[in-house]
Amino acid sequence: MSGLLLALAIMAALAVLLGAVLGFASVKFKVEADPLVDKIDAVLPQTQCGQCSYPGCRPYATAIAAGEADINRCPPGGEDGIHKLAELLGVDYKPFDEGAAQPKPKSVALINEELCIGCTLCIQACPVDAILGSAKQMHTIIASECTGCELCIAPCPVDCIRMVPVGTTLKNWKWDYPVIPIASIPTKAA
Amino acid sequence: MHSPHIAKPTTVSVIMLKVLAALLPGLIVYVHFYGIGVLVQLALATGTALLAEAAMLKLRGLPVDFFLRDYSAVLTAWLLALAMPPLGAWWLIVVATLFAIVIAKQLYGGLGNNPFNPAMVGFAVAIVAFPAQMAQWGSPTVPLHELEQLAYIFTRQLPPGAALDAVVSATPLDFLKTQLLLGDHSVPELLARPLYGHVAGIGGEWIALGYLVGGLFLWKQRLIPWQTPLAMLAGLAAVATPLWLYDPLHFANPLFHLAAGATMLAAFFIVTDPVTAPTTPRGRLIFGFLVGVLTYVIRVFGGFPDSVAFAVLIMNIAVPFIDHTTQPPVFGAKRKGGSA
Amino acid sequence: MSTLYSFHGGIHPPENKQQSTGRPIGTPPLPARLYLPLNQHLGNPATPCVAVGERVLKGQRIAKADGAVSAALHAPTSGTVTAIAPHAYAHPSGLAETCIVIDADGRDEWQPRQGFPLWQSTEPAEVRRFLRDMGVVGLGGAVFPTSLKLASTHLDTLVINGAECEPYISCDDLLMRERAADIVSGIAIVVRLMQPKRVLIGIEDNKPEAIAAMRAACAGSDYQVVAVPTKYPSGGAKQLIRILTGIEVPHGVRSTDLGVQCFNVGTVYTVARAVEHGEPVISRIVTLTGAVARPQNVEALLGTPAAELMAWAGQAPNSDGVIMGGPMMGFKLADTAAGLTKAGNCLIASSAELFPPRPPAMPCIRCGECADACPAELQPMDLYWFAKAKNFGKAQERNLFDCIECGACSYVCPSQLPLVDYYRFAKSEIWAAERDKKSADRARTRHEFRQFRIEREKTEKAQRLAEHAAKTAAPQATLPTPTPVATDKPAEDKAAAIKAAMERAAALKAAGSATPAVQSEDAKQAAIRAAMERAAVNKAAREAAKEAGASSAAPAPSDDAKKAAIQAAMERAAAQKAARGAASLGLPETPAAPIVPNNVLDDAKKAAIQAAMARAAAKKAEREASEAGQQAQPAAPAAHALDDAKKAAIQAAMERAAARKAEREHAEAAPADKAPTAPAPGPATLDDAKKAAIQAAMERAAARKAARDAEQHRPPQDKDS
């Protein structure tokens, strides 16, 4: 009988002690900013295109962290992006919705400088300040900074902006994943 | 197809065939001492292994013919057959082989992906599940002629007049252990019995020698590294020697341990299985040494005198860790100029 | 004789060098056309400095080095530059690259050759610059600009690489056999620049003739010719340095930091040719071998199409392609029209007999053969595993980037796995990920800064407004806090966008028939004008809106707002109609274009533009008014503000009416004018169109004035409310 009581007492004491430690830790080591948002934001492609329906990558990251948004709403991030998010958040991979925006090859905007009237609307729309120019001056896009978000297309009054796919060049050419003629080890054996 | 545009013609099949060839000396000696039962076991294991492998490949949607010709299943079957009792029941070897091929190999992803040595898994399953049958080792001087052996394997019927004790006996290791536990005899007394031949049992020592020859051939062919076998034998001797020196009445001499049981088979054919062994030179030394130590420990202090399988399987678990911690320094990361 | 060291791993593939060493270095016929890629070396591609159509002389510089990590390019023969355009390029990707195309004139006429006779006494930096301008790069395969490699001084050891370990290749062998003297003078120049304590020339012992020739040429100097054991890849710079000096140069460390530098014999040869003879790098020795009738080495002009060289060597009919480089590290040319580059040391005609396809691959059995063969002392099977699983972080952890892609692992693999392909794949994926990461980080920074800037501008504006309001409202001491204007902005932007788009459409259509140059000029001008106008209207509207917002505290909604809205709607409808009219008028013009006199077109265009502009202005005003009305509903708008908006709207409507009239008039005139058979248009119609245009312009001016007035009146109104 006393053994039982002793065990109970020890367990209770342990519970109290550990609870106190945990409580102390949660107060003492409280993390102010939510690092999860940063981590998610780091995975997102930073196109700031708003295709996820959030006004930028960070708001979307915040929404994901808060559990308000799905991980499959970032077309520029592609399937890879979803995989990374799934891994980061420990959730299942989810393909893009049928009707939703689908990933497309990376493009950059190009201003037809013949047509540009220098209205600055695209400059105001560009989320990453990748458009140079001032009022009544012809504008041009810094291709290396363009994220391909397409946000400048709609505001252009003269429709002089179009998206040009970034083709394969010697600079960004990649070796293919080696294809072995025979299915030696199926990577995803059922 | 990209560079290199040339390649050595060696293939996995060639390697496997050479290993099979290297098993022949030991196998011949084994058959010489234990009779045709060994070959029956070998045939049973090979047939079962090929059938099981083919069925599994088919289920996995892989080219059956192509993978059967890598002979890895045959090698597994041979190793298993050489480790099982020569007069064991037919279903014993079949069950063990099925387990080795289906569970230990194919379910883990087939050739190259199995973390555990399939033959050793098959052996371990058999000895844990059917200890009585596994204890009935064939007697080295088997009194049965060929047909009687066959009949015994398939029907478990001994010819009239043959005593079971004359046909099967415990393995030398098993016998030694049991006798020591009974406490009636000391080790030197026991080893002096005719069962133990010169060193570690009639036949056993010669079979071990056969495996050694095959192992040296493989090493000469650069198909096995020197580290793993040497380290395993060293590990075994490293524990056996001090204990024997400390109390020769209770601990057998290291030579006995090296020659007994499946030590030599394991040293040259089991722990050298590249798939389930470490790949780094240091890792191979550590792996081999610890297999040797564990073999001794389990053999002498554990419940299973035929302990090599367990030692190997335990160390198989540790292989990724060993590999990870023994990564050799890359070019330039050591020696002269490396620190700059 | 120095002690030799050895490196880990290595393989002994069949050498196959004897086929091409039987003949002396040959000279293929002058090709008719040369293709010189600008990207022949590591670093920035060269910048062309000749124009298409220009005649160039042999040795003339045709492209300049772009920055320090670059090298110049020279015309290999005299002829005419016929194009600077993408052309097949010797690269594993098979992508085209910008090439300077020269049509040879057959005269092979040199430009005056100017060496650098004072190299012994001049600053080393001068000599280095000279070499860069002569296009000297490492000819061993890495094509790194030599001028940069020469920059260190007081070396311990200078290693000259004549090992040439790869099968089939024998260009360095033949170069050493036949031109040892020039190589040694090149070494002397390098020695003068780098001041090494000793010079070791490493040659694999399977080239006894080359060793003998080099020893003879080095007699009298203290350069040591060292025969090194034949083993692939002893010709790798790091491996040769290890063999000759015992020093291991780790990945990411410059060998000069350890007191060693290594040059290929071909490179020092070109150094000598450039410095002593003024010959830039315009040709190189290349081995033509494999499935050819006459395997041999040739001195080929850079830019010679590979197909021509192979044809000259007698490529066998069963040959299925050309490998540039050796069989271990070379790549199959996607297009044999590619010109020879400075890196092209060997062309092998491949055939199924010489290079049989690999047996089907098996799973890796971790046999460790690859680790035994790896000269970088990696664990290739682990790297393979990680690369295959796309676990690039792990692969990098296991020193993937130490891999020199020599192919030894793949060569020995009993599972016949294309291991190097996996490493190349992993490397390029990692590089791509790094590029993406970098650009994402930059985008993030830029986006964050932009938001910060917008926020700052907003607060500044609010502050300014507050100050302003405080100043004006001070006497009465009651003032609602100015509402931030930003909320209105998107709507305005959108409105402006729509308007401007319509304008543009009109302008484009009107301009459609003019000659391209005039068209764009006109359109642009019109557009600019329109934009200016719009800006003015915008401003007025914004003010109005602001007012509406500011005065929202006051009570009583008003009929005025409603009225303005109705009016606006009507106006909009009218404007749309006008636009449609303009559009239909624009269409038939096109076929008639060439016949229509310019002035008619101009006028029509102008009128259309003006009409569009006026319409836009009207629309703008209307929208402002409706916005003002909406805002006014919960609270009373300031009467004055509404009045102003109304005025503007009315004015705009008038303008629009005038414009419409002009348009209609013009439209009447147009069909007649534009008919292909029509004679020159009557002066009257023209005049009318012109008049309309003038009127529209005047109206526009008036509208602008009204807007400006409204703006000026605003402050007092603020005070009133």
Side-chain angles (χ1 to χ4, degrees), chain B residues 2-8 10-12 66 70 111-113 274-275 277 279 323 327-328 330-332 334-335 340, chain C residues 248 250 258 327-328 330 358 362-366 376-379 381-382 385 398-399 402 411 414-416 421 424:
Chain B
H2 301 294
S3 66
H5 302 276
I6 49 176
K8 247 182 172 172
T10 326
T11 61
V12 174
F66 176 70
D70 66 26
L111 178 65
N113 295 288
V275 177
T279 50
D323 266 342
Q327 284 296 307
V330 299
F331 182 84
K334 56 181 184 295
R335 300 199 280 256
Chain C
E248 287 189 3
L258 306 175
M328 294 301 295
R358 283 193 93 146
M362 295 284 295
C364 168
I365 55 166
R366 292 163 43 94
E377 296 173 63
L378 299 167
Q379 298 284 303
M381 58 280 180
D382 289 350
W385 197 255
R398 293 284 178 86
N399 304 300
D402 281 50
Y411 176 80
S415 291
Q416 307 289 342
D421 287 4
R424 292 195 192 105

Side-chain angles (χ1 to χ4, degrees), chain C residues 276-321:
Chain C
E276 295 189 337
H277 306 276
E279 289 174 12
V281 183
I282 53 168
S283 64
R284 68 156 297 144
I285 315 287
V286 50
T287 308
L288 310 177
T289 184
V292 293
R294 296 169 297 279
Q296 66 168 307
N297 282 277
V298 293
E299 177 157 14
L301 295 183
L302 298 181
T304 311
E308 279 185 40
L309 288 173
M310 292 321 285
W312 188 70
Q315 186 169 9
N318 67 346
S319 167
D320 56 3

Side-chain angles (χ1 to χ4, degrees), chain C residues 204-542:
Chain C
E204 268 191 357
D205 56 14
N206 59 357
K207 302 183 223 348
E209 297 93 338
I211 294 172
M214 286 301 288
R215 286 217 167 112
C218 289
S221 70
D222 52 0
Y223 311 152
Q224 279 181 55
V225 177
V226 185
V228 302
T230 300
K231 173 163 100 170
Y232 179 84
S234 64
K238 288 182 178 186
Q239 278 66 39
L240 190 64
I241 289 173
R242 162 76 192 164
I243 293 172
L244 293 176
T245 68
I247 294 172
E248 287 189 3
V249 182
H251 175 69
V253 173
R254 273 174 303 191
S255 63
T256 47
D257 293 346
L258 306 175
V260 204
Q261 185 61 294
C262 178
F263 290 99
N264 180 266
V265 284
T267 314
V268 284
Y269 170 75
T270 55
V271 168
R273 294 310 292 179
V275 170
E276 295 189 337
H277 306 276
E279 289 174 12
V281 183
I282 53 168
S283 64
R284 68 156 297 144
I285 315 287
V286 50
T287 308
L288 310 177
T289 184
V292 293
R294 296 169 297 279
Q296 66 168 307
N297 282 277
V298 293
E299 177 157 14
L301 295 183
L302 298 181
T304 311
E308 279 185 40
L309 288 173
M310 292 321 285
W312 188 70
Q315 186 169 9
N318 67 346
S319 167
D320 56 3
V322 175
I323 295 168
M324 182 176 267
M328 294 301 295
M329 293 183 74
F331 55 91
K332 214 164 202 176
L333 289 175
D335 185 348
T336 52
L340 182 70
T341 59
K342 291 175 184 177
N345 50 6
C346 182
L347 293 173
I348 307 174
S350 70
S351 68
E353 291 83 66
L354 289 178
F355 305 107
R358 283 193 93 146
M362 295 284 295
C364 168
I365 55 166
R366 292 163 43 94
C367 65
E369 284 280 308
C370 47
D372 289 342
C374 181
E377 296 173 63
L378 299 167
Q379 298 284 303
M381 58 280 180
D382 289 350
L383 293 177
Y384 158 71
W385 197 255
F386 295 135
K388 188 180 158 79
K390 303 190 183 170
N391 192 346
F392 302 129
K394 268 278 192 218
Q396 236 175 320
E397 237 171 69
R398 293 284 178 86
N399 304 300
L400 171 66
F401 283 96
D402 281 50
C403 167
I404 56 171
E405 297 176 23
C406 67
C409 51
S410 199
Y411 176 80
V412 298
C413 181
S415 291
Q416 307 289 342
L417 291 164
L419 294 170
V420 188
D421 287 4
Y422 281 94
Y423 310 146
R424 292 195 192 105
F425 159 74
K427 284 181 183 179
S428 70
E429 285 296 323
I430 292 170
W431 283 323
E434 274 171 12
R435 273 199 305 271
D436 288 352
K437 176 98 179 58
K438 232 184 242 168
S439 67
D441 284 347
R442 224 171 32 225
R444 186 185 293 115
T445 324
R446 290 177 80 91
H447 180 65
E448 278 165 6
F449 178 75
R450 178 174 182 271
Q451 282 181 317
F452 162 74
R453 177 170 53 75
I454 290 171
E455 199 53 45
R456 190 186 59 198
E457 275 166 10
K458 222 193 272 177
T459 25
E460 276 172 5
K461 198 165 186 181
Q463 219 165 25
R464 253 198 331 269
L465 279 172
E467 272 166 27
H468 188 72
K471 234 183 272 161
T472 49
Q476 285 167 5
T478 55
L479 188 75
T481 331
T483 344
V485 204
T487 45
D488 292 332
K489 249 186 122 191
E492 263 170 52
D493 285 353
K494 232 183 273 170
I498 295 161
K499 203 169 36 169
M502 279 162 64
E503 276 166 11
R504 178 194 41 84
L508 264 184
K509 256 168 211 154
S513 52
T515 55
V518 178
Q519 168 196 352
S520 59
E521 195 77 356
D522 280 345
K524 231 189 269 179
Q525 261 165 24
I528 292 164
R529 237 177 302 149
M532 277 158 61
E533 222 179 36
R534 200 175 58 245
V537 179
N538 256 355
K539 220 180 197 169
R542 216 173 297 141

Side-chain angles (χ1 to χ4, degrees), chain B residues 5-333:
Chain B
H5 302 276
I6 49 176
K8 247 182 172 172
T10 326
T11 61
V12 174
S13 313
V14 171
I15 293 181
M16 295 294 173
L17 285 175
K18 280 186 178 169
V19 178
L20 288 175
L23 276 172
L24 287 178
L27 177 66
I28 290 165
V29 180
Y30 195 12
V31 175
H32 172 74
F33 280 102
Y34 285 86
I36 196 146
V38 177
L39 291 177
V40 175
Q41 301 287 344
L42 206 68
L44 280 172
T46 310
T48 312
L50 287 174
L51 283 176
E53 178 109 330
M56 286 307 286
L57 289 169
K58 188 121 186 113
L59 282 176
R60 293 175 59 208
L62 292 173
V64 174
D65 187 42
F66 176 70
F67 277 102
L68 279 188
R69 252 180 282 161
D70 66 26
Y71 302 112
S72 60
V74 178
L75 180 59
T76 300
W78 280 34
L79 290 173
L80 192 52
L82 293 177
M84 299 287 278
L87 290 181
W90 64 271
W91 51 265
L92 191 60
I93 184 86
V94 168
V95 167
T97 313
L98 278 177
F99 225 88
I101 296 295
V102 175
I103 307 230
K105 186 180 176 192
Q106 290 293 340
L107 287 190
Y108 276 103
L111 178 65
N113 295 288
N114 47 302
F116 298 106
N117 189 309
M120 291 299 99
V121 170
F123 180 83
V125 165
I127 205 166
V128 169
F130 311 104
Q133 281 83 353
M134 289 296 283
Q136 294 179 4
W137 203 262
S139 179
T141 46
V142 63
L144 304 177
H145 63 78
E146 283 76 9
L147 276 178
E148 286 168 343
Q149 289 185 35
L150 267 178
Y152 184 64
I153 289 171
F154 287 101
T155 64
R156 306 313 280 165
Q157 295 293 316
L158 282 174
L164 183 65
D165 282 354
V167 177
V168 296
S169 63
T171 63
L173 279 168
D174 205 357
F175 184 73
L176 184 71
K177 179 149 188 120
T178 321
Q179 292 304 315
L180 281 174
L181 278 177
L182 291 173
D184 297 340
H185 306 281
S186 68
V187 169
E189 278 173 38
L190 289 166
L191 290 189
R193 295 186 177 193
L195 171 71
Y196 286 96
H198 299 286
V199 182
I202 300 175
E205 54 209 28
W206 292 106
I207 298 168
L209 209 60
Y211 292 144
L212 178 65
V213 169
L216 289 176
F217 163 75
L218 287 183
W219 174 71
K220 194 80 187 136
Q221 289 274 311
R222 291 173 41 86
L223 288 176
I224 60 169
W226 58 267
Q227 290 100 334
T228 348
L230 202 68
M232 179 182 162
L233 299 178
L236 193 59
V239 193
T241 313
L243 284 172
W244 170 63
L245 290 175
Y246 165 71
D247 185 358
L249 292 183
H250 282 92
F251 298 102
N253 63 66
L255 206 57
F256 168 79
H257 277 288
L258 290 180
T263 309
M264 280 296 165
L265 181 68
F268 290 99
F269 296 92
I270 306 281
V271 295
T272 53
D273 167 31
V275 177
T276 55
T279 50
T280 64
R282 271 198 303 150
R284 284 166 174 167
L285 284 174
I286 294 170
F287 175 79
F289 190 85
L290 290 180
V291 168
V293 171
L294 278 179
T295 301
Y296 186 92
V297 169
I298 299 172
R299 199 180 261 182
V300 175
F301 304 107
F304 293 97
D306 293 296
S307 59
V308 170
F310 296 101
V312 169
L313 291 177
I314 289 171
M315 287 314 294
N316 282 163
I317 303 172
V319 164
F321 176 72
I322 294 175
D323 266 342
H324 181 78
T325 45
T326 55
Q327 284 296 307
V330 299
F331 182 84

Side-chain angles (χ1 to χ4, degrees), chain A residues 41-42 46 48 114 117 124 126-129 136 144-145 155 157-158 170-175 177 180 182, chain C residues 89 93 97 361 388 422 424-425 428 435 440 442-444 446-447 450 453 493 497 500-501 504 524 527:
Chain A
D41 195 38
Q46 304 301 322
Q48 318 291 354
E114 299 266 282
I117 55 170
Q124 291 162 33
C126 180
V128 292
D129 284 344
K136 296 173 209 167
S144 63
E145 305 297 343
V158 294
L170 289 176
K171 287 245 181 275
N172 64 13
W173 173 76
K174 291 195 287 189
W175 286 89
Y177 187 78
I180 301 180
I182 189 148
Chain C
Y89 172 53
S93 67
E97 162 73 359
K388 188 180 158 79
Y422 281 94
R424 292 195 192 105
F425 159 74
S428 70
R435 273 199 305 271
R442 224 171 32 225
R444 186 185 293 115
R446 290 177 80 91
H447 180 65
R450 178 174 182 271
R453 177 170 53 75
D493 285 353
R504 178 194 41 84
K524 231 189 269 179

Side-chain angles (χ1 to χ4, degrees), chain A residues 126-183:
Chain A
C126 180
V128 292
D129 284 344
I131 307 181
L132 264 183
S134 60
K136 296 173 209 167
Q137 306 289 320
M138 178 264 288
H139 302 340
T140 195
I141 288 173
I142 312 169
S144 63
E145 305 297 343
C146 177
T147 63
C149 68
E150 304 189 1
L151 289 181
C152 52
I153 299 219
C156 178
V158 294
D159 283 348
C160 72
I161 308 182
R162 66 197 161 93
M163 299 306 292
V164 183
V166 182
T168 313
T169 65
L170 289 176
K171 287 245 181 275
N172 64 13
W173 173 76
K174 291 195 287 189
W175 286 89
D176 289 335
Y177 187 78
V179 181
I180 301 180
I182 189 148

Side-chain angles (χ1 to χ4, degrees), chain A:
Chain A
M1 194 60 201
S2 69
L4 176 70
L5 286 179
L6 185 68
L8 276 178
I10 289 174
M11 289 312 285
L14 264 178
V16 170
L17 182 73
L18 291 176
V21 168
L22 284 176
F24 174 75
S26 73
V27 175
K28 175 82 181 173
F29 302 108
K30 186 169 180 166
V31 183
E32 279 308 330
D34 187 0
L36 187 59
V37 174
D38 283 332
K39 279 187 203 152
I40 298 172
D41 195 38
V43 172
L44 296 176
Q46 304 301 322
T47 42
Q48 318 291 354
C49 61
Q51 288 182 67
C52 52
S53 80
Y54 291 88
C57 293
R58 198 168 177 91
Y60 179 43
T62 317
I64 294 178
E68 291 159 10
D70 255 338
I71 57 169
N72 63 345
R73 296 170 69 169
C74 178
E79 307 256 323
D80 270 1
I82 302 180
H83 278 298
K84 279 188 204 155
L85 285 174
E87 197 179 319
L88 175 67
L89 300 168
V91 296
D92 282 339
Y93 166 80
K94 215 177 210 180
F96 285 104
D97 284 337
E98 280 295 313
Q102 298 290 319
K104 41 187 161 185
K106 159 112 170 114
S107 307
V108 293
L110 179 74
I111 292 180
N112 182 343
E113 297 173 350
E114 299 266 282
L115 286 180
C116 174
I117 55 170
C119 68
T120 76
L121 287 177
C122 55
I123 298 185
Q124 291 162 33
C126 180
V128 292
D129 284 344
I131 307 181
L132 264 183
S134 60
K136 296 173 209 167
Q137 306 289 320
M138 178 264 288
H139 302 340
T140 195
I141 288 173
I142 312 169
S144 63
E145 305 297 343
C146 177
T147 63
C149 68
E150 304 189 1
L151 289 181
C152 52
I153 299 219
C156 178
V158 294
D159 283 348
C160 72
I161 308 182
R162 66 197 161 93
M163 299 306 292
V164 183
V166 182
T168 313
T169 65
L170 289 176
K171 287 245 181 275
N172 64 13
W173 173 76
K174 291 195 287 189
W175 286 89
D176 289 335
Y177 187 78
V179 181
I180 301 180
I182 189 148
S184 52
I185 309 170
T187 42
K188 277 176 192 137

